[in-house]
């Protein structure tokens, strides 16, 4: 845990007692603050009490002595309307910040600490984890967290030379004031969280805050495969002293890093000219063009911190991937099993469907708006679909006659049927792909629970197969 001493002896309100809120309250208490912690959810309050916190109902107390409000990132700051706690804080002139800003204050006095921030609509988690993996493999003192893994204040305390690699959501960036990212990565921007930010411009402005406190010599890495991000890159290039590196998986970019035709190129050298740095097929955990952009961004980020080309390439090649994101969970001869349970909507499932051919696709659960209508361009890659969960009938209707399908109902039955059909298909490299394009809560506690169940079922199936008990 990282103690926060900036509010020693002062009263601080912490509202929202999920993972980040509990860690923020603990860090403030460790730093000597007087903490008034509250959540409107009874379940969250019970969890906070179990975690050792004393509660103070912020709806009933006088706010006159509040130095600051630490707000959970999921609570509305501006849209569709400020939460009442935000209004109470503003009424007494108390700043409204988040746990990432507390982190920025806590590390400010430790020399030699570096922060790499990663944001974007898609790819944040993979890129953050990949950067952390490369740095760790290269022998650096690195800690990874934020919107992935551990809450930022739950990470190890700073010491000179430490590198923090943080996934930063738009919600978190809305609540920072002083965070300086020596390396800031902005991957892409597509419409999302409009209800929280008002419109696409509000969403973009929140994301762009990752660059707000960068100084001369710092590095901004920007994906340029979508128009809003290209505009961000152009604006940043007008800032004197900032090292701006464009990255792409679709085109050659001058003075940038890009992936084309299965190769990663570096054109950042001062002398100009592109250098081929690796064949991307070596990175088996990073299939598809979206992951090629993630690899380009991670490569640019670690090179900005002086990691050698050979160490950067070795780290990309050895990256094991993230659980539930196109995770390879088993093989049987040429048959491959992929856990992409994190794909809880059609847009996410498209990333996986675009990476493979001869797919035996397990899909279903609680469908999002539009179901799988947008996935029609990928149906030609699917040999058969195995539908599960609450909205299997809707998905069957949307598949129509384009894809043969089986109303499997349960994940276990779907896996059994898909594995048998794939094994008997005769295709050179068939893939049993769990990429549900649906939420999981009809049959599972979470997408993680769904993915863990799939992984365990695959393991059991392969073990039985080796003993001759399964086809």
């Amino acid at each position: 845990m990282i103690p926060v001493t900036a509010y020693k002896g002062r009263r601080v309100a912490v509202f929202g007692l999920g993972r980040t809120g509990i860690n923020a309250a603990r860090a403030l208490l460790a730093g000597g603050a007087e903490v008034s912690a509250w959540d409107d959810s009874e379940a969250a309050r019970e969890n906070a009490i179990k975690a050792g916190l004393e509660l103070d109902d912020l709806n009933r107390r006088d706010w006159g002595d509040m130095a600051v409000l630490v707000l959970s990132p999921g609570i509305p700051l501006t849209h569709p309307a400020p939460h009442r706690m935000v209004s109470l804080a503003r009424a007494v002139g108390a700043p409204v910040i988040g746990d990432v800003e507390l982190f920025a204050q806590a590390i400010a006095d430790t020399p030699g600490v570096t922060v790499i921030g990663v944001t974007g609509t898609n790819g944040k988690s993979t890129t953050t984890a990949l950067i952390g993996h490369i740095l760790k493999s290269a022998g650096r003192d690195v800690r990874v967290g934020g919107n992935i893994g551990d809450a930022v204040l739950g990470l190890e305390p700073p010491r000179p030379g430490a590198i923090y690699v943080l996934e930063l959501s738009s919600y978190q960036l809305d609540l920072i004031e002083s965070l300086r990212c020596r390396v800031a990565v902005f991957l892409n921007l597509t419409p999302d969280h409009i209800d929280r930010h008002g419109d696409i411009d509000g969403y973009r402005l929140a994301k762009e805050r990752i660059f707000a406190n960068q100084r001369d010599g710092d590095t901004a890495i920007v994906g340029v495969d979508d128009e809003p991000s290209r505009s961000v890159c152009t604006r940043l290039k007008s800032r004197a002293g900032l090292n701006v590196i464009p990255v792409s998986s679709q085109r050659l970019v001058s003075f940038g890093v890009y992936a084309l035709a299965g190769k990663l190129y570096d054109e950042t050298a001062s002398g100009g000219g592109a250098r081929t740095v690796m064949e991307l097929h070596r990175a088996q955990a990073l299939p598809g063009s979206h992951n090629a952009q993630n690899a380009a961004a991670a490569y640019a980020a670690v090179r900005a911190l002086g990691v050698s080309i050979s160490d950067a390439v070795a780290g990309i090649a050895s990256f094991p991937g993230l659980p539930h994101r196109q995770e390879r969970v088993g093989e049987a001869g040429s048959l491959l099993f992929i856990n992409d349970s994190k794909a809880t909507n059609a847009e996410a499932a498209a990333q996986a469907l675009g990476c493979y051919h001869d797919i035996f696709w397990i899909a279903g659960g609680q469908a999002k708006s539009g179901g799988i209508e947008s996935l029609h361009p990928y149906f030609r890659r699917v040999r058969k679909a195995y539908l599960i969960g609450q909205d299997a009938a809707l998905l069957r209707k949307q598949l129509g006659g384009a894809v043969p399908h089986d109303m499997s109902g349960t994940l276990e039955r779907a896996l059994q049927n898909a594995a048998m059909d794939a094994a008997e298909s005769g295709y050179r490299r068939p893939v049993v792909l769990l990429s549900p394009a649906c939420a999981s809560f009809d049959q599972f506690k979470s997408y993680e629970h769904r993915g863990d169940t799939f992984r365990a079922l695959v393991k059991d199936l392969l073990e039985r197969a080796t003993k001759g008990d399964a086809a």
Side-chain angles (χ1 to χ4, degrees), residues 21-252:
I22 288 175
N23 276 278
R26 284 173 162 173
L28 286 160
L29 288 167
E34 298 177 9
V35 176
S36 292
W38 190 252
D39 194 298
D40 286 340
S41 163
E42 183 177 353
R45 295 197 299 270
E46 290 176 356
N47 286 336
I49 292 170
K50 290 177 183 176
L53 296 182
E54 293 185 11
L55 303 182
D56 184 4
D57 189 345
L58 291 169
N59 298 286
R60 299 176 179 275
R61 78 170 338 272
D62 183 353
W63 278 65
D65 61 344
M66 288 297 179
V68 67
L69 167 62
V70 179
L71 193 69
S72 174
I75 296 169
L77 178 66
T78 56
H79 293 83
H83 191 276
R84 68 181 181 282
M85 294 297 166
V86 175
S87 300
L88 286 169
R90 289 174 175 165
V92 298
V96 182
I97 63 174
D99 66 323
V100 177
E101 178 58 25
L102 291 178
F103 163 81
Q105 296 171 4
I107 68 169
D109 295 331
T110 304
V113 174
T114 297
V115 175
I116 300 176
V118 181
T119 198
T121 304
N122 298 303
K124 296 185 297 295
S125 295
T126 295
T127 304
T128 301
L130 178 56
I131 292 170
H133 173 77
I134 298 169
L135 291 171
K136 184 176 181 180
S137 299
R140 302 296 184 94
D141 179 10
V142 61
R143 304 96 191 269
V144 178
N147 200 46
I148 180 178
D150 292 329
V152 65
L153 291 170
L155 298 172
E156 291 182 36
R159 55 176 176 257
I163 302 171
Y164 290 90
V165 187
L166 306 181
E167 177 185 330
L168 299 172
S169 70
S170 59
Y171 295 2
Q172 291 170 312
L173 289 167
D174 247 351
L175 295 165
I176 66 166
E177 293 179 356
S178 66
L179 178 72
R180 175 196 174 193
C181 297
R182 182 175 166 191
V183 178
V185 180
F186 187 111
L187 292 168
N188 46 57
L189 191 81
T190 56
D192 203 1
H193 304 306
I194 301 304
D195 57 338
R196 171 64 181 262
H197 298 289
D199 54 28
I200 187 65
D201 283 336
Y203 178 49
R204 174 185 55 78
L205 288 170
K207 291 286 192 185
E208 282 193 76
R209 288 175 65 84
I210 198 169
F211 306 115
N213 298 306
Q214 288 196 293
R215 305 174 190 170
D216 289 356
D218 289 345
T219 298
I221 297 165
V222 187
V224 292
D225 289 341
D226 61 88
E227 179 53 40
S229 300
R230 285 194 289 275
S231 297
V232 170
C233 189
T234 299
R235 285 193 295 275
L236 288 171
K237 286 182 176 179
S238 68
R239 282 178 55 177
L242 189 63
N243 179 31
V244 181
I245 301 176
V247 297
S248 174
S249 64
Q250 298 179 3
R251 68 197 73 199
L252 181 153

Side-chain angles (χ1 to χ4, degrees), residues 391-469:
D391 289 321
L394 170 65
L395 271 60
R396 176 177 60 182
K397 182 178 179 180
Q398 292 179 332
L399 287 172
V403 178
H405 49 269
D406 177 82
M407 296 294 284
S408 299
T410 66
L411 181 56
E412 182 174 10
R413 189 174 302 119
L415 174 61
Q416 291 279 357
N417 295 343
M420 181 172 293
D421 289 346
E424 296 176 351
S425 68
Y427 292 115
R428 186 178 65 85
R429 186 61 161 164
V431 176
V432 174
L433 171 67
L434 170 67
S435 190
C438 294
S440 59
F441 301 113
D442 56 331
Q443 294 179 314
F444 302 94
K445 297 176 183 177
S446 63
Y447 76 81
E448 294 97 338
H449 180 212
R450 178 171 60 191
D452 289 340
T453 300
F454 179 73
R455 189 191 300 111
L457 288 170
V458 170
K459 181 181 178 182
D460 178 67
L461 179 69
L462 295 179
E463 287 177 350
R464 288 190 292 113
T466 60
K467 297 175 182 177
D469 296 331

Side-chain angles (χ1 to χ4, degrees), residues 345-370:
N345 57 47
E347 182 181 35
Q351 307 274 7
L353 291 171
C355 289
Y356 308 101
H357 297 275
D358 302 326
I359 300 168
F360 294 79
W361 180 28
I362 301 174
Q366 292 176 316
K368 301 291 181 66
S369 177

